[in-house]
Amino acid sequence: SAASDVYKRQCQLRVTPSGGGTHQVTIPGGCMDGKKLRYTGLGQPGRNGGKNGDLLVTVRVQKLEKVTP
């Protein structure tokens, strides 16, 4: 269902971009699967001393199977 394709609560994740380094980012509640988020200044270093680019994150929501003891 469409409801299972939405992450309902805000969370914080550590991401490792392809250029290296690690960043902690906040994923807002209500994000749908496939949503693209932009984090300004967390991307790769700019050329010739320019400012860092943006980090782009694609949200992937997975429905977890119910775990029983």
Side-chain angles (χ1 to χ4, degrees), residues 9-58:
R9 296 186 309 174
Q10 175 177 307
C11 69
Q12 297 218 350
L13 299 173
R14 283 194 178 166
V15 294
T16 303
S18 58
T22 301
H23 302 287
Q24 185 164 329
V25 297
T26 300
I27 307 296
C31 277
M32 297 191 74
D33 188 60
K35 171 119 176 123
K36 295 186 185 333
L37 303 172
R38 178 184 306 266
Y39 297 92
T40 305
L42 294 183
Q44 295 185 353
R47 293 185 184 171
N48 299 319
K51 61 182 180 177
N52 289 359
D54 297 343
L55 173 65
L56 302 175
V57 174
T58 302

